[in-house]
Amino acid sequence: MQPEAITEARRRYYGQMTHLDYQLGRLFGSLQTHKIYQETAIAFTSDHGECLGDHGVFAKHSFLESAARVPYILRLPNSLREQYPIQDAETPVLTADLCPTLLQLAGLQADASAEGQSLLEPSGREYIFGETPESAMVLGKGYKYIYYTTGDTEHLFHIDQDSNDQCNLAGQAEHAEIQSTLKNRLIAYLNKNESPMVNDGA
């Protein structure tokens, strides 16, 4: 894609975000007008981002940060903040966590088989997984491993030192152990979910 086309697409995308900010302002203003803002739970997230030309791609079906890293903001009513002292955190979460979180706020139980967990009382997770028709991902121990079905391609990124996925560490001898660990964790996860991506344990 030509640089001019990427610039125009980004301009339109940022325009959409400006419009969204404006609409959220209207919503919050209305809540305040009706004097219910302080006791309203507000959750803000997204299902995915857009690469918008990053890494030479223009898509959402990716576990690269441009598409996979989305906002997840939870603001509790004043009356619940002492009961659930949520802090700012860089701990990765799943969009699947939204449902059990809101259910708990409403005094309801989530389905025990659901993959997500309530962020009001998180149990802690060592790994986070994801899957699309084209790729699968596991994040843990400070790294992100991505497997692509096309060409059996592998990516390994150090998420703390390389927040934009610029340096692929897959195949490097000094990172072979963590790559193997994450790959095996991903295979176990895909096997558990009977994914066709796994064939004879590989």
Side-chain angles (χ1 to χ4, degrees):
M1 181 173 286
Q2 295 298 317
E4 297 81 7
I6 293 177
T7 299
E8 177 63 14
R10 289 178 177 176
R11 185 186 69 81
R12 292 172 182 258
Y13 192 80
Y14 296 150
Q16 289 179 335
M17 288 191 287
T18 299
H19 177 69
L20 181 59
D21 286 344
Y22 171 73
Q23 298 297 343
L24 285 173
R26 292 182 61 207
L27 171 62
F28 298 158
S30 180
L31 292 174
Q32 290 171 341
T33 297
H34 290 85
K35 302 187 186 307
I36 57 175
Y37 177 76
Q38 298 299 334
E39 288 304 319
T40 298
I42 299 173
F44 180 88
T45 188
S46 175
D47 55 346
H48 59 80
E50 297 285 349
C51 283
L52 295 176
D54 294 347
H55 306 280
V57 296
F58 223 89
K60 62 185 181 182
H61 293 295
S62 167
F63 291 109
L64 297 170
E65 289 297 276
S66 302
R69 188 179 182 91
V70 297
Y72 198 118
I73 301 170
L74 179 63
R75 177 193 174 276
L76 297 181
N78 286 352
S79 59
L80 294 179
R81 291 187 184 180
E82 288 188 10
Q83 182 179 355
Y84 302 111
I86 296 176
Q87 302 294 325
D88 293 342
E90 287 297 316
T91 302
V93 298
L94 296 169
T95 50
D97 295 335
L98 182 61
C99 180
T101 300
L102 295 182
L103 285 173
Q104 184 174 354
L105 278 173
L108 302 172
Q109 291 290 326
D111 189 321
S113 65
E115 186 171 353
Q117 66 177 23
S118 172
L119 298 180
L120 302 180
E121 297 175 328
S123 59
R125 276 184 296 230
E126 189 175 3
Y127 300 95
I128 279 184
F129 302 91
E131 183 182 5
T132 74
E134 301 87 11
S135 62
M137 177 275 301
V138 55
L139 187 150
K141 298 187 179 299
Y143 289 83
K144 175 172 60 177
Y145 171 83
I146 310 174
Y147 172 77
Y148 302 86
T149 55
T150 302
D152 289 330
T153 303
E154 297 175 277
H155 277 166
L156 180 69
F157 300 107
H158 193 300
I159 58 175
D160 295 326
Q161 300 177 6
D162 181 17
S163 60
N164 292 314
D165 299 339
Q166 297 296 311
C167 183
N168 182 17
L169 305 174
Q172 298 184 12
E174 60 267 38
H175 297 99
E177 183 177 353
I178 185 63
Q179 181 176 343
S180 177
T181 296
L182 293 178
K183 185 174 184 176
N184 288 332
R185 288 282 182 172
L186 182 59
I187 290 173
Y189 168 82
L190 295 172
N191 261 328
K192 178 182 176 181
N193 289 280
E194 301 180 347
S195 170
M197 197 175 293
V198 177
N199 186 16
D200 291 332

